[in-house]
Every structure is written in structure tokens, then in C-alpha cells.
Amino acid sequence: MRIFFYVQWLLGIGHLQRSLRIAEALVGDGVAVTLACGGPPAAGLKIDPAIDIVQLPPVRALDARFELIDEAGRPLGDALRAQRREKLLAALAAARPDAVVIEGFPFARRAFAFELDPLVAAAKRAICSVRDIVTMRDDPARHRAAIDRVRSGFAAVLVHGDPDFIPFAASFAPAAAIADRLLYTGYVANPAPPDTGAPPDTDTPTGEVLVSAGGGAAGAALMRAALDARRAGCLADAPWRLLTGMNFDGALDPPPGVTVERFRPDFPAMLRRCRVSVSQCGYNTALDIVAARAPSVLVPFAAGNETEQLIRAEHLASRGVAEIVREEALSAESLGAAIVRAGTQRPAGLAIDTGGAARSARIVAAIARGDFRGEGLVSRGGDGMIRE
């Protein structure tokens, strides 16, 4: 059996990381996997060598306005569209997969319909894979188009979330119209760092203020506000560490006591030792924070009318997990005050389903075999939720 994944990341690499976790679970179950990546190669990201990677001509977003550009910074044109479509369909034909998993589409990545509509048409079975929250304009015509596309081309929609925490209808109001194909898998979390019981073997001190920006493409304002808060004396007795992200494009001038790095593979373990975490609220970062029970300040990305991170952050704050500073209110003063508040509190625990990687792999394999009915694998409630 072989499964073919398509993933396109534009700013952060969360979509790619989530697809890789599911692909790794499939490989672990003895399933062959091909993954077609439409974003630039993510340097420093560990990828299982058993996964066959097909790199399409890269396309990314110039900035938070999501203007699409190629690797040379030129606007996406018809020639590159044709080149990508041909390479994608050739890779599909070579792989001859039993199912195709497409990240986001048709709820997102509509600008890539030029290659995704042909991919769905050529797939033996197509499966939509989406995070807990989708970002769509509140437009009934857009909603109807997504529903019609799901019903005409997809065997299932896998929602990588927990409806007891954030139901899909929180971001896609007419979710009931596809309830017969909507399957909650649980969150696709990073593997927990091993607890050896020994002192941390790392050059990272404990008790630091840890500021992170995910992939980094949209984190410049957060980084600068954090540095300004530190210069103003916020928790100046603690070491600070800024993780800018692999795609951060900017210069920083940190004062003494502040370390700046682009990426740390041990970020989840660092969260368990920090005094306060300051971050945006992307899918993977939020899961790492919840698992670590780190005192946290969330500054959800909200440029270009994005609502995904704000919805997630508000749900976390309502459960006592974190403080929120809205992006439009971000300043050294507002961020510094929130950091001080967070540092004096113990965050509430949050029980959410994080078994999404293994469960997604089992469902995808069952659909690929053509024998998925839900019986014997999972039980389904009327809202589409799956439970083992």
C-alpha cells in the first residue's frame, strides 16, 4: 500500500510538520509514503528517510498579505503553475497510490486549485486533512463551494482536533452539512520528550523567558516588542532566549542577558524548564505549551484578517492556560505586563486528545484499502467525532 501526501506551506511550517507526523505513523505501520511539498525546503527539519519527498518548484507567501511568490521572489505566473501541475501529476502517476491526502483544500489553498483540482480528479481516493481551525471568509458562497467540493471529490475530511475543546463549527459554521464525512482524529502532537529522571543535559539554563515565533515569517513585531520589554526591565533577573524561526527575515540587537537563535529541536523540552513562554498561537506551538504546562503569554497572529490563532488562543485563555495580548495591542508595555502576570501563575491543566497521528494513519490506511466503515476501528458519534 502507498499513500500520497500533498502539503503546501506559505508562512509557517506547521502544515508540513503535521503531515510529516502522520506520514511517519503510516511508515511505522509498514505503509509506503510519498510526500509532495510545495513550499521551500525546511532547513533543519528532521524527516524520516523512509518518506519519499517530491519537491515541487517552491512557492511561498511574500508576507502576511499572502501574495504568492516563487523562490526568486517573483509573483506566481502561469509558466510556474504549469510546471508545478505537471510535476505533481507525474509524481502521482509514478507513485500509483491507493489514496491521496491533501492538506487544507478545499477549505484552504484555493489559490492552488490549478493543480489540486487535477490531483483530486486523478486520485483513486482523496482525503482532506485539516487542522482544528480553518480560516475562511464569512461568505455563504465560499462555504457552499467547499461543501460541494468535499461531497463531489473527497472520501473523508480528517479534522486534527478535539471537538470537546474546539469543534470544527467554531471556524466553519455549516460543518453539519458534511457530518457524514467529518472525522475528528485528535490533535497531531509532537512526540513527548523522554523523561529520563536525570538533570537536563543542555546548554539552556532553567527559568528563562522563552520567546518563540514558530516558523518566523510573521514574528518580527513580537521579537521587537519582547526585546523592548526586556530593555525596560521586564524580568531582568532572568535569562531571555529568542527563537526567531527558520524563516525570520530581520535584524535584532539583543541586550546583554538575551540569547538569539533561529531554531531549537528541543523546544518542547525547553518549554518544560522555562519561567515564561511568549509565543504566537500556531497549532504545534499551542500543543507544546499545553503539554509542558508552561506559564504562557500568547500573541496570536492576526494580520490580513486571520482568525485561526486568535480562536485557539481565546479557547486556551478561557481554560486558564495562558494570557493573551492581541496583536493590534502589542507593545513593550502590554507584553511586559502580561509576562509578569503569567510568571506569577500556575497554568491550568488541559485534557485534550493528542492521539491524532496514529489514529489518522489507521483511518487513512483503512480508507485506502476501501474497507473503512468506522466499525471495529473507531466508533462515531452523530457529530462525526471518533473515539477508540
Side-chain angles (χ1 to χ4, degrees):
M1 180 189 298
R2 179 172 291 273
I3 306 300
F4 189 98
F5 280 75
Y6 170 99
V7 59
Q8 171 69 55
W9 63 271
L10 296 174
L11 284 176
I13 60 173
H15 301 290
L16 176 58
Q17 290 178 307
R18 188 165 51 251
S19 294
L20 285 171
R21 298 293 84 78
I22 299 170
E24 289 165 357
L26 281 162
V27 167
D29 290 341
V31 178
V33 173
T34 298
L35 188 147
C37 181
L45 192 63
K46 185 178 180 180
I47 298 177
D48 190 321
I51 300 172
D52 295 329
I53 301 295
V54 175
Q55 177 63 59
L56 302 178
V59 170
R60 63 180 177 87
L62 175 62
D63 52 31
R65 294 171 297 178
F66 289 95
E67 177 186 348
L68 301 181
I69 58 174
D70 65 16
E71 59 185 337
R74 298 173 300 227
L76 177 60
D78 289 341
L80 184 57
R81 289 187 180 93
Q83 185 182 1
R84 280 177 55 108
R85 181 170 57 243
E86 291 168 7
K87 184 165 185 177
L88 178 62
L89 295 179
L92 179 73
R96 301 177 62 189
D98 299 281
V100 175
V101 180
I102 301 176
E103 209 285 326
F105 188 75
F107 302 96
R109 303 298 181 259
R110 293 178 298 275
F112 293 85
F114 65 89
E115 62 191 15
L116 291 177
D117 280 334
L119 179 63
V120 172
K124 187 175 180 181
R125 298 177 183 90
I127 302 166
C128 172
S129 167
V130 294
R131 64 193 175 201
D132 54 345
I133 300 164
V134 294
T135 300
M136 293 188 72
R137 187 189 310 164
D138 188 14
D139 179 349
R142 283 275 183 94
H143 291 168
R144 174 48 57 187
I147 290 168
D148 290 346
R149 196 70 188 91
V150 166
R151 304 205 68 83
S152 66
F154 290 85
V157 176
L158 305 188
V159 180
H160 304 304
D162 182 341
D164 289 339
F165 177 46
I166 304 177
F168 194 57
S171 58
F172 188 70
I178 52 172
D180 59 328
R181 304 189 190 191
L182 194 66
L183 302 172
Y184 291 89
T185 69
Y187 282 91
V188 178
N190 291 320
D195 184 3
T196 64
D201 181 15
T202 177
D203 62 355
T204 304
T206 59
E208 66 183 3
V209 178
L210 182 62
V211 185
S212 60
L222 174 58
M223 291 294 149
R224 294 189 178 105
L227 285 177
D228 288 343
R230 172 62 175 75
R231 291 188 185 99
C234 177
L235 297 192
D237 61 323
W240 285 51
R241 186 177 303 267
L242 274 58
L243 301 181
T244 63
M246 293 180 289
N247 303 305
F248 180 77
D249 183 16
L252 298 174
D253 182 22
V258 179
T259 301
V260 177
E261 298 180 86
R262 280 194 173 271
F263 174 74
R264 285 286 294 257
D266 59 341
F267 176 68
M270 295 170 72
L271 282 170
R272 296 174 186 272
R273 300 190 299 272
C274 73
R275 182 167 172 179
V276 180
S277 166
V278 182
S279 69
Q280 296 175 312
C281 198
Y283 183 98
N284 292 299
T285 300
L287 289 176
D288 288 338
I289 288 169
V290 169
R293 293 192 67 174
S296 299
V297 177
L298 301 175
V299 185
F301 171 68
N305 297 317
E306 286 284 313
T307 57
E308 172 233 336
Q309 293 198 12
L310 179 59
I311 292 172
R312 189 178 297 115
E314 288 178 338
H315 276 75
L316 288 170
S318 72
R319 304 289 185 97
V321 173
E323 296 280 333
I324 293 182
V325 175
R326 288 177 175 261
E327 197 171 65
E328 63 270 21
L330 178 63
S331 66
E333 294 75 20
S334 63
L335 185 61
I339 291 172
V340 170
R341 288 196 304 272
T344 63
Q345 301 169 3
R346 179 173 176 80
L350 178 62
I352 56 175
D353 185 343
T354 57
R359 194 174 296 114
S360 296
R362 291 196 295 273
I363 295 172
V364 167
I367 292 173
R369 289 192 302 268
D371 62 2
F372 178 72
R373 300 291 184 274
E375 298 86 356
L377 178 67
V378 292
S379 60
R380 293 179 56 188
D383 64 353
M385 184 179 183
I386 64 172
R387 299 183 189 274
E388 293 190 277

